[in-house]
C-alpha cells in the first residue's frame, strides 16, 4: 500500500506478498455539479457488511490488512484512527498517521479527515487539510461493496500530485482489503523482511 485511507506517508511496505490475485477496482471518479473533483474507488469484498465494517473500525480488523500498528477510537467527531506502516512503531509515536473520525453510521458510512501528517509525506500538509474521505458499505447479500470517496480537491499542481498519489494508494489499499478476506490476514513480519531484503539488494556493493 498504501495510502492508509486517507492519508499517507511514505509507503514502507511493498504490496502484500501473499496477494495472489488482485481484486478488481472500479474507478467511478467524477466532477460534481460545481466542477469539483471527486475521487471514488470501490471494490467488492467476500464478506458480509458487519465483517467489512469491523475491518475498518476495530484494531484487530484494521491490522489484518491495512497497517501492522493501529488503534481506533470510535466516536462521532473526535474519534481517531491512528496507525503506522512501520512494524516497530507504537501507538503515540510522533510519526504515526492520525485521522479524525468526523462522523460514522454503523455498517453504513465513515467520514474522516487527516489530523496529523508524518514528516516526509509527499504532499503539502496544508492541502491535505482540505480533503475529506468518506467510506461507504453496500450490502450485496453476503458480500459488500466498499467505496472510498475523497472530496476537497482544488486545482493546481499540488492537488494534482496528491490526487494521483491517493488514486494509486487507495486502489492498492482496497485490493489489500479484498485479499484479506480471500487469502487471510497480512503477514507483516514477512512483508518487513521482504522490504528489508529489497533495500539491501538495491544498495551499491561495497
Amino acid at each position: 500500500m498504501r495510502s492508509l485511507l486517507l492519508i499517507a506517508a511514505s509507503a514502507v511496505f511493498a504490496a502484500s506478498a501473499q496477494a495472489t490475485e488482485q481484486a478488481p477496482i472500479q474507478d467511478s471518479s467524477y466532477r460534481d455539479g460545481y466542477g469539483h473533483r471527486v475521487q471514488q474507488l470501490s471494490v467488492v469484498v467476500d464478506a458480509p457488511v458487519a465483517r467489512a465494517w469491523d475491518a475498518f473500525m476495530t484494531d484487530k480488523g484494521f491490522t489484518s490488512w491495512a497497517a501492522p500498528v493501529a488503534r481506533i477510537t470510535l466516536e462521532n467527531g473526535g474519534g481517531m484512527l491512528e496507525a503506522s506502516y512501520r512494524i516497530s512503531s507504537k501507538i503515540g509515536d510522533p510519526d504515526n498517521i492520525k485521522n479524525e473520525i468526523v462522523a460514522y453510521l454503523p455498517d453504513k458510512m465513515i467520514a474522516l479527515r487527516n489530523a496529523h501528517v508524518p514528516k516526509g509525506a509527499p504532499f503539502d500538509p496544508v492541502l491535505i487539510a482540505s480533503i475529506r474521505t468518506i467510506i461507504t458499505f453496500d450490502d450485496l447479500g453476503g458480500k459488500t461493496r466498499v467505496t472510498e470517496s475523497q472530496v476537497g480537491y482544488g486545482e493546481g499542481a499540488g492537488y494534482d500530485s496528491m490526487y494521483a498519489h491517493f488514486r494509486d494508494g487507495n486502489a492498492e489499499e482496497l485490493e489489500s482489503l479484498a485479499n484479506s478476506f480471500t487469502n487471510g490476514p497480512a503477514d507483516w513480519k514477512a512483508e518487513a523482511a521482504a522490504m528489508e531484503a529489497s533495500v539491501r539488494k538495491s544498495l551499491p556493493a561495497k
Side-chain angles (χ1 to χ4, degrees):
M1 174 147 108
R2 277 163 168 123
S3 102
L4 199 44
L5 297 175
L6 344 167
I7 330 249
S10 53
V12 177
F13 294 104
S16 174
Q18 64 182 0
T20 57
E21 182 178 349
Q22 290 186 339
I25 303 299
Q26 180 180 0
D27 187 341
S28 53
S29 302
Y30 62 98
R31 284 186 181 267
D32 65 20
Y34 303 98
H36 302 144
R37 287 184 284 186
V38 178
Q39 185 179 117
Q40 189 170 80
L41 305 175
S42 62
V43 69
V44 174
V45 302
D46 189 14
V49 169
R51 287 188 63 203
W53 174 266
D54 284 350
F56 281 86
M57 290 289 98
T58 67
D59 297 357
K60 181 178 179 181
F62 201 76
T63 56
S64 73
W65 67 277
V69 177
R71 177 173 294 167
I72 290 89
T73 304
L74 191 55
E75 295 179 13
N76 271 308
M80 190 67 65
L81 193 166
E82 179 180 349
S84 175
Y85 298 128
R86 298 183 183 277
I87 197 168
S88 60
S89 295
K90 297 179 177 61
I91 295 301
D93 285 353
D95 277 340
N96 289 351
I97 299 163
K98 293 183 179 180
N99 291 276
E100 180 188 359
I101 300 172
V102 177
Y104 74 91
L105 186 62
D107 296 343
K108 297 290 186 181
M109 181 277 294
I110 307 162
L112 303 161
R113 74 165 187 89
N114 179 250
H116 176 69
V117 179
K119 294 178 181 178
F123 39 71
D124 186 340
V126 174
L127 299 186
I128 188 69
S130 68
I131 303 300
R132 298 293 180 270
T133 299
I134 302 97
I135 304 158
T136 56
F137 303 80
D138 295 314
D139 188 350
L140 302 180
K143 296 187 177 184
T144 306
R145 178 181 294 107
V146 178
T147 302
E148 189 169 348
S149 305
Q150 288 188 322
V151 299
Y153 286 101
E155 304 297 333
Y159 279 114
D160 292 346
S161 176
M162 189 164 61
Y163 186 100
H165 174 88
F166 282 121
R167 169 61 183 82
D168 293 343
N170 289 345
E172 186 180 338
E173 173 188 275
L174 291 175
E175 289 167 359
S176 296
L177 172 67
N179 287 331
S180 73
F181 289 112
T182 57
N183 302 326
D187 185 340
W188 297 114
K189 289 184 179 179
E191 288 200 27
M195 174 60 72
E196 183 179 352
S198 176
V199 170
R200 286 201 305 266
K201 187 177 180 180
S202 67
L203 294 175
K206 293 183 179 179

